[in-house]
Amino acid sequence: MSDADTELEARLEEQDSFEPPESFVEQANVSNPDIYEEFEENWPECWEAAADMLDWETEYDQTFDGSNPPFFEWFTGGELNASANCLDRHLDERGDEVAIEWVGEPTDEANRTYTYEDLHREVNEAAAALREMGVGEDDVVTMYMPMIPELPIAMLACARIGAPHSVVFAGFSADALATRMNAADSEYLITCDGYYRRGDPLDHLEKANEGLDNVEHDTETVVVERLPEDDAFDHDLRDDQRLWVDAVHAHKGAEVEPVARDAEDMLFLMYTSGTTGEPKGVKHTTGGYLSWAAWTSHAVLDIKPEDTYFCSADIGWITGHSYIVYGPLALGTTTMMYEGTPDHPERDRLWEIVEEYEATQLYTAPTAIRAFMKWGSEFPDQHDLSSLRLLGTVGEPINPRAWKWYYKHIGNEECPVVDTWWQTETGGMMVTTLPGVKEMKPGSAGPALPGIDAEIVDTTGEQVEPGRAGYLTIQKPWPGMLRTLYQNDERFVDEYWREYSDTDSDDWRDWTYFPEDGAKIDEDGYITVLGRVDDVINVSGHRLGTMEIESAIVGVEGVAEAAVVGGDHEMKGEAVYAYVITEDGYDGDEELRDAIIQGVEDGIGPIARPEQVIFTPELPKTRSGKIMRRLLEDIANGAELGDTSTLRNPDVVASIQEQVQK
Ligand code: ATP
Ligand code: MG
């Protein structure tokens, strides 16, 4: 590093707030600082701003209906179609502009570009094919597909005919597919033959078939052929299965009138990843959800039609639903889809894509950012990333060091970074800075969005002092919220409302949404999400948030990533176990171990001092990239390990176990 670089690093390290760059503010979709006050004073009518982002076939007559809490409704009486909003209405002005830019994993494979005209045509043909199969309004269609263009095409085709989709992440197991198809009574499946992962073709249909064997009712399957002949696996289609080409291409040139859906009609169902307990079938609606996805894409991601917007999530997660498909397409922009992983064939693959397509926004996850940081800045440095205007992160807390690395090495200190807190259940972003208005504080997601009423409370529901840890709650409903858990209203109430609501009350004001995350707030109303409420370690009666300890550890030079869990301890009740991945070029030696312990003592206090620091090349992660803490706890306790098959990297478990036993 040159002296200038070192100086810069030192300055960044000190700095704890960042103003949005002037050049960004000047062109931002939202730059009016009064928006917070205006929305507060004008609630719920303020949310007409979100509804206004859409074209309605029938105007709604009520903005918000709180008469039957917690079954809230938005834009009641209104009718619209999501596919018409994402496609048809853009045709006149933007028919020739690119809607989806798809990049496959193999670098020698041609990308696929869909203009709005193209996408409209393909969606219409697919909608006609689904109709012919017998898919009717409100029939749930399951999709078990990786990042191939037929996935959003199928989703929009469903939306066109009013059939809710339920997308199951392609990395999930056969069992997960069967559970979800059974739970949703879904009789239709769209899947594919296989796809590529780090250069190798994977057999996907075999897994899909295995899942179908455990579905309790009759099904029909459409199979997209993703792999070329020579890579295709040897499958005989079953009687109730046919190829996408045969099903869809029989409808060349077909036009399907978009079905007018009630604002409150289900647009899709999404089962949460199941990091904790049984998957929950989160129900999202046509009017509220779509307006929420569109408004937040506009206000937070600053999406404009001319942009080339890149979200590196998988469409199998809510992030991909809201911020690869529905939000960006509703705004008529170009949305990128990348099939592969960021490290294949090389660790600069994302940067290569950003450079080649001149991406204007990048929305990714802290786990990816920590990996980039571990790999080193030489990878992004090889590319011209100056097309980027805004960066975003979602999925878990991001520690200040990773935030600053992202800000500096990807954004060149010229792009605001939005750290967006939200959930499958919220439909879209809830807590984050408006990038054209608010200063950013690394490590803190930011204030609640305008019109969103977030409070940090204690177990009795009283607001806690700034700086103190408590529970995040949302005091007022919002359009994008889930309406229920599919066919399980009771669990919906138990899971999200019972904790902080007066459940006997008919007044919506007595109802409070509980996302089950811990958080703290500062004097300026900035919220730091500390993680799930169960991610707390009780050391000698002191409740310590794992996130805070992790943040202290990751702040130590040489540490790329850390996960902290509680292990049983005779004296203390629980003790802190820290699993640590080092940055490339650093060893997990005594020196680093001491620095980590020192870092925790300085940052939080001696009470949080780790009992053991375990260096590991990888952490066990779920398919959505979240650290599987329960498993790490079992390892710390020397307990029997449960099912590890839902892990992305089950192999790491044994090697970690060995170290802990030493
Ligand atoms: P499940 O609910 O099935 O256990 P999950 O909660 O991991 O799965 P998601 O809905 O995808 O499934 O994730 C939402 C959760 O992710 C939030 O409740 C929060 O714990 C965490 N999260 C998301 N974004 C952020 C963020 N910016 N900062 C901190 N935490 C975040
Ligand atoms: Mg959750």
Side-chain angles (χ1 to χ4, degrees):
M1 251 198 280
S2 72
D3 284 355
D5 274 353
T6 319
E7 208 174 288
L8 193 68
E9 296 281 355
R11 174 171 63 65
L12 271 181
E13 203 172 312
E14 291 293 301
Q15 195 173 341
D16 48 21
S17 73
F18 295 78
E19 287 298 328
E22 200 58 47
S23 56
F24 182 89
V25 176
E26 274 165 17
Q27 60 78 62
N29 284 344
V30 176
S31 57
N32 166 22
D34 299 332
I35 185 171
Y36 290 90
E37 215 166 275
E38 287 170 9
F39 272 42
E40 195 179 334
E41 280 167 13
N42 195 26
W43 195 97
E45 282 73 27
C46 57
W47 289 125
E48 289 166 14
D52 285 349
M53 315 249 23
L54 305 179
D55 281 2
W56 295 78
E57 224 143 297
T58 312
E59 270 304 310
Y60 51 90
D61 29 53
Q62 200 181 349
T63 303
F64 168 65
D65 178 357
S67 60
N68 181 28
F71 302 95
F72 300 115
E73 299 193 342
W74 288 86
F75 313 127
T76 51
E79 289 184 317
L80 75 168
N81 181 282
S83 114
N85 269 285
C86 291
L87 301 169
D88 305 49
R89 66 167 173 158
H90 304 313
L91 292 181
D92 276 352
E93 277 184 30
R94 305 192 44 79
D96 297 335
E97 303 290 331
V98 179
I100 295 181
E101 187 73 74
W102 177 84
V103 180
E105 186 191 273
T107 42
D108 55 1
E109 186 176 337
N111 60 318
R112 287 201 245 162
T113 302
Y114 294 81
T115 63
Y116 275 93
E117 288 276 4
D118 297 334
L119 193 60
H120 180 261
R121 191 181 57 243
E122 304 241 357
V123 166
N124 272 273
E125 292 169 0
L130 290 173
R131 273 243 173 101
E132 189 207 274
M133 283 168 68
V135 178
E137 242 186 292
D138 294 316
D139 288 344
V140 176
V141 178
T142 303
M143 281 144 218
Y144 189 40
M145 275 197 271
M147 289 288 280
I148 55 177
E150 287 81 358
L151 175 53
I153 290 170
M155 290 162 73
L156 292 166
C158 281
R160 198 162 189 88
I161 60 171
H165 52 74
S166 164
V167 180
V168 179
F169 175 56
F172 273 156
S173 65
D175 266 358
L177 173 65
T179 314
R180 287 158 172 74
M181 284 188 78
N182 283 325
D185 274 326
S186 174
E187 295 174 5
Y188 304 95
L189 174 68
I190 307 178
T191 185
C192 70
D193 55 348
Y195 57 102
Y196 296 106
R197 249 320 159 261
R198 296 203 169 84
D200 296 322
L202 279 188
D203 190 341
H204 189 60
L205 188 53
E206 192 190 345
K207 197 166 69 162
N209 281 337
E210 212 182 295
L212 284 170
D213 289 340
N214 291 316
V215 174
E216 290 147 3
H217 48 263
D218 287 344
T219 56
E220 270 191 71
T221 307
V222 181
V223 181
V224 176
E225 290 169 293
R226 159 69 187 109
L227 298 178
E229 279 299 294
D230 55 331
D231 268 348
F233 298 95
D234 210 4
H235 293 294
D236 287 325
L237 291 187
R238 300 174 177 185
D239 287 345
D240 52 10
Q241 299 185 319
R242 57 181 152 163
L243 295 179
W244 172 274
V245 277
D246 298 336
V248 175
H249 293 192
H251 295 276
K252 273 239 160 324
E255 289 206 17
V256 175
E257 192 58 29
V259 171
R261 297 281 280 169
D262 195 275
E264 282 295 311
D265 279 343
M266 170 155 64
L267 177 60
F268 67 86
L269 192 59
M270 162 136 254
Y271 286 89
T272 58
S273 51
T275 322
T276 49
E278 278 287 292
K280 295 161 272 197
V282 170
K283 176 184 158 180
H284 280 297
T285 58
T286 311
Y289 168 83
L290 191 63
S291 60
W292 196 249
W295 188 82
T296 48
S297 293
H298 167 85
V300 180
L301 296 171
D302 200 50
I303 290 179
K304 301 171 174 47
E306 323 58 76
D307 284 339
T308 298
Y309 158 84
F310 185 14
C311 167
S312 73
D314 193 291
I315 293 175
W317 308 120
I318 190 71
T319 302
H321 276 52
S322 302
Y323 300 115
I324 296 179
V325 182
Y326 286 111
L329 293 179
L331 298 183
T333 196
T334 298
T335 181
M336 306 266 323
M337 269 180 85
Y338 171 51
E339 181 186 34
T341 55
D343 57 351
H344 186 85
E346 299 295 337
R347 289 170 166 185
D348 67 341
R349 188 64 198 277
L350 285 197
W351 318 127
E352 193 177 73
I353 295 172
V354 168
E355 178 172 22
E356 183 174 347
Y357 295 91
E358 298 183 32
T360 40
Q361 291 93 338
L362 179 69
Y363 191 33
T364 189
T367 175
I369 297 166
R370 290 190 301 257
F372 302 147
M373 193 164 93
K374 173 174 152 62
W375 299 337
S377 55
E378 61 267 31
F379 296 101
D381 286 352
Q382 291 159 20
H383 296 277
D384 176 4
L385 307 180
S386 61
S387 58
L388 289 170
R389 185 173 87 239
L390 172 132
L391 302 174
T393 107
V394 58
E396 40 172 343
I398 180 165
N399 58 287
R401 219 161 77 89
W403 191 104
K404 289 175 185 176
W405 188 92
Y406 193 36
Y407 179 72
K408 173 167 187 260
H409 294 284
I410 308 304
N412 194 31
E413 301 186 72
E414 284 162 357
C415 304
V417 175
V418 286
D419 172 359
T420 61
W421 176 87
W422 59 290
Q423 313 178 286
T424 307
E425 294 88 340
T426 67
M429 299 157 179
M430 299 291 285
V431 176
T432 181
T433 49
L434 279 176
V437 177
K438 288 285 186 184
E439 67 168 9
M440 301 161 272
K441 300 186 187 184
S444 162
L449 283 174
I452 295 296
D453 187 358
E455 281 180 10
I456 314 301
V457 301
D458 62 18
T459 45
T460 67
E462 287 301 311
Q463 284 197 56
V464 300
E465 299 279 308
R468 301 285 297 272
Y471 304 97
L472 178 57
T473 59
I474 312 291
Q475 302 286 328
K476 284 196 190 98
W478 66 100
M481 69 197 306
L482 80 164
R483 295 304 191 263
T484 191
L485 293 176
Y486 193 56
Q487 293 175 340
N488 202 344
D489 289 347
E490 206 179 291
R491 186 168 177 206
F492 170 64
V493 176
D494 284 345
E495 195 85 40
Y496 307 107
W497 301 95
R498 195 169 297 289
E499 195 80 24
Y500 288 110
S501 305
D502 173 1
T503 50
D504 293 327
S505 172
D506 290 337
D507 186 343
W508 65 263
R509 290 168 197 84
D510 295 329
W511 290 73
T512 295
Y513 176 81
F514 181 41
E516 303 181 293
D517 278 341
K520 61 184 183 185
I521 193 163
D522 73 7
E523 304 281 352
D524 304 323
Y526 277 57
I527 294 170
T528 296
V529 178
L530 300 169
R532 280 162 222 289
V533 291
D534 48 325
D535 292 345
V536 165
I537 307 178
N538 197 328
V539 183
S540 310
H542 297 264
R543 291 168 65 78
L544 305 169
T546 53
M547 161 64 191
E548 275 176 301
I549 308 177
E550 281 162 16
S551 190
I553 296 177
V554 181
V556 173
E557 188 169 332
V559 175
E561 190 165 359
V564 156
V565 299
D568 296 338
H569 191 276
E570 226 174 289
M571 303 295 292
K572 305 176 183 169
E574 278 188 299
V576 174
Y577 281 71
Y579 299 85
V580 174
I581 302 181
T582 58
E583 243 169 87
D584 283 0
Y586 287 86
D587 287 328
D589 52 17
E590 277 313 307
E591 199 182 326
L592 187 55
R593 190 180 311 260
D594 292 343
I596 288 169
I597 291 173
Q598 196 58 51
V600 173
E601 291 196 351
D602 293 347
I604 298 157
I607 186 77
R609 181 190 165 95
E611 184 79 12
Q612 272 202 45
V613 176
I614 301 121
F615 291 105
T616 169
E618 268 183 87
L619 291 166
K621 298 237 172 104
T622 62
R623 309 266 169 182
S624 58
K626 289 182 181 171
I627 297 163
M628 192 77 131
R629 286 207 171 70
R630 270 183 308 181
L631 200 67
L632 292 173
E633 267 163 35
D634 289 345
I635 296 175
N637 290 325
E640 196 65 41
L641 301 186
D643 183 16
T644 56
S645 67
T646 59
L647 286 179
R648 187 155 70 180
N649 50 358
D651 313 345
V652 306
V653 174
S655 87
I656 299 179
Q657 254 177 326
E658 232 165 74
Q659 278 204 60
V660 175
Q661 280 154 7
K662 258 185 226 166

